[in-house]
């Protein structure tokens, strides 16, 4: 069995956690691979092998991302189109997408026995023009379209070619169920179980008294039409909070279900609801008497 580590050493305790992960995996006779850029951190562990991340992620049985939710999102990009499973170990602040905490590493032995559950997470694709060329990008969490300088923008949303609405807002989020607990939640959207298949649309600070988040079938093709005619209010698209593209007046972007899914490993059998109660509800519990 082959396991690849994807650590983010900028996170507190990530290095010590990664080395402990190595110990558990090696003791269970699981081959451990990491990128060659981390030779210094693992030089004293002779069993660790080094390989390019893009290659090893596609040939491994599991990739273990060690860090926070951002680390897991970046790691997931390497798994697009492969059968490799993803396990997140949280050493960040929230780690809502993680399947294990840093103090639960003993459960890694279950990788060998296969005693775990798989949660298939859908993705989103966005097609738009960049420098006159049609480009397609994939998001695991969300696609955010908003004004670059935080000024209000105007846009239309269509579903399968039919007008859904004409809006004035700071922007709009198109989220997968996995992304429903990220930016979309802060923008007032609902919590959606990650195993469901749908597209959530949540407006960011809409100039309206009645606008609410909308849930679309995963089979819908949504179209964003930029109707902002002020050149001083450029509109940008960001994919999972990373890559950014500018979209001009009258230009469109099409959002649809992605071709690929990501297989998340759930070691405790209820990681989503457990994280929801322990992490999202924690501030509420602390103020109770």
């Amino acid at each position: 069995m082959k396991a690849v580590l994807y650590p983010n050493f900028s996170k507190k305790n990530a290095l010590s956690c990664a080395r402990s992960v190595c110990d558990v995996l090696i003791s269970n006779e699981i081959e451990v691979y990491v990128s060659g850029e981390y030779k210094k951190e693992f030089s004293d562990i002779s069993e660790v092998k080094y390989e390019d991340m893009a290659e090893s992620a596609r040939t491994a049985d599991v990739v273990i991302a060690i860090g926070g939710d951002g680390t897991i999102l970046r790691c997931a990009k390497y798994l697009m189109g492969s059968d490799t499973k993803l396990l997140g170990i949280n050493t960040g602040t929230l780690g809502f997408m993680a399947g294990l905490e840093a103090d639960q590493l003993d459960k890694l032995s279950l990788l060998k026995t296969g005693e775990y559950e798989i949660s298939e997470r859908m993705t989103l694709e966005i097609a738009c023009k960049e420098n006159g060329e049609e480009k397609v990008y994939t998001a695991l969490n969300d696609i955010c379209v908003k004004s670059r300088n935080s000024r209000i923008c105007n846009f239309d949303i269509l579903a399968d070619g039919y007008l859904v609405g004409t809006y004035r807002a700071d922007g709009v989020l198109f989220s997968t169920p996995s992304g429903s607990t990220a930016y979309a939640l802060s923008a007032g959207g609902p919590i959606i179980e990650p195993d469901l298949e749908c597209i959530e649309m949540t407006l960011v600070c809409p100039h309206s008294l009645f606008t609410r988040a909308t849930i679309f079938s995963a089979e819908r093709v949504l179209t964003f039409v930029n109707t902002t005619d002020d050149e001083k209010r450029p509109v940008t698209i960001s994919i999972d909070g990373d890559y950014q593209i500018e979209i001009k007046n009258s230009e469109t972007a099409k959002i649809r279900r992605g071709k690929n899914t990501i297989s998340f490993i759930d070691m405790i059998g209820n990681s989503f609801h457990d994280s929801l109660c322990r992490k999202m509800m924690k501030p509420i519990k602390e103020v109770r008497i």
Side-chain angles (χ1 to χ4, degrees), residues 23-50:
D23 292 340
V24 177
L25 295 178
I26 292 168
S27 67
N28 283 276
E29 299 181 338
I30 298 173
E31 291 184 294
V32 180
Y33 285 75
V34 297
S35 170
E37 64 183 295
Y38 302 125
K39 282 187 176 181
K40 180 181 177 181
E41 287 80 3
F42 299 98
S43 60
D44 60 326
I45 306 178
S46 60
E47 293 88 348
V48 172
K49 301 176 183 179
Y50 303 95

Side-chain angles (χ1 to χ4, degrees), residues 72-73 76 84-88 97-99 116-121 140 178 262-266:
I72 296 171
L73 282 174
T84 305
K85 303 176 185 65
L86 176 59
L87 172 64
M97 301 178 75
Y116 52 79
E117 296 180 5
I118 295 293
S119 174
E120 293 290 346
R121 308 292 182 90
L140 174 59
S178 295
I262 302 295
S263 302
F264 274 70
I265 291 178
D266 182 355

Side-chain angles (χ1 to χ4, degrees), residues 94-167:
L94 183 60
F96 193 80
M97 301 178 75
L100 289 178
E101 297 297 316
D103 60 356
Q104 297 176 313
L105 300 186
D106 58 301
K107 293 187 179 294
L108 288 172
S109 61
L110 299 178
L111 290 174
K112 189 74 171 181
T113 62
E115 297 176 77
Y116 52 79
E117 296 180 5
I118 295 293
S119 174
E120 293 290 346
R121 308 292 182 90
M122 68 170 281
T123 58
L124 290 179
E125 286 184 354
I126 181 166
C128 56
K129 284 189 176 181
E130 185 178 12
N131 299 321
E133 184 179 351
E134 186 81 6
K135 294 288 185 71
V136 178
Y137 299 92
T138 303
L140 174 59
N141 253 11
D142 51 43
I143 295 163
C144 178
V145 190
K146 64 188 301 186
S147 172
R148 180 186 296 171
N149 53 18
S150 299
R151 297 176 67 182
I152 200 165
C153 52
N154 306 322
F155 53 91
D156 294 340
I157 301 294
L158 293 82
D160 292 341
Y162 296 97
L163 182 67
V164 173
T166 296
Y167 304 101

Side-chain angles (χ1 to χ4, degrees), residues 48-234:
V48 172
K49 301 176 183 179
Y50 303 95
E51 192 174 54
D52 178 71
M53 180 63 192
E55 174 61 28
S56 59
R58 293 183 176 274
T59 58
D61 296 287
V62 58
V63 174
I64 302 174
I66 303 171
D69 287 329
T71 305
I72 296 171
L73 282 174
R74 289 189 293 274
C75 181
K77 303 295 183 184
Y78 288 100
L79 277 59
M80 296 292 181
S82 75
D83 295 325
T84 305
K85 303 176 185 65
L86 176 59
L87 172 64
I89 298 178
N90 180 40
T91 61
T93 304
L94 183 60
F96 193 80
M97 301 178 75
L100 289 178
E101 297 297 316
D103 60 356
Q104 297 176 313
L105 300 186
D106 58 301
K107 293 187 179 294
L108 288 172
S109 61
L110 299 178
L111 290 174
K112 189 74 171 181
T113 62
E115 297 176 77
Y116 52 79
E117 296 180 5
I118 295 293
S119 174
E120 293 290 346
R121 308 292 182 90
M122 68 170 281
T123 58
L124 290 179
E125 286 184 354
I126 181 166
C128 56
K129 284 189 176 181
E130 185 178 12
N131 299 321
E133 184 179 351
E134 186 81 6
K135 294 288 185 71
V136 178
Y137 299 92
T138 303
L140 174 59
N141 253 11
D142 51 43
I143 295 163
C144 178
V145 190
K146 64 188 301 186
S147 172
R148 180 186 296 171
N149 53 18
S150 299
R151 297 176 67 182
I152 200 165
C153 52
N154 306 322
F155 53 91
D156 294 340
I157 301 294
L158 293 82
D160 292 341
Y162 296 97
L163 182 67
V164 173
T166 296
Y167 304 101
R168 283 177 57 80
D170 283 0
V172 59
L173 292 163
F174 301 98
S175 310
T176 64
S178 295
S180 71
T181 52
Y183 192 177
L185 180 65
S186 298
I191 294 172
I192 305 173
E193 282 193 320
D195 294 280
L196 293 177
E197 295 185 344
C198 60
I199 302 173
E200 176 187 348
M201 184 185 80
T202 309
L203 298 182
V204 180
C205 298
H207 197 244
S208 170
L209 293 175
F210 307 106
T211 305
R212 293 290 182 269
T214 306
I215 306 297
F216 295 94
S217 162
E219 307 310 315
R220 291 276 183 260
V221 177
L222 304 179
T223 304
F224 173 94
V225 184
N226 181 20
T227 59
T228 306
D229 57 5
D230 187 349
E231 293 183 0
K232 295 181 181 180
R233 290 185 285 170

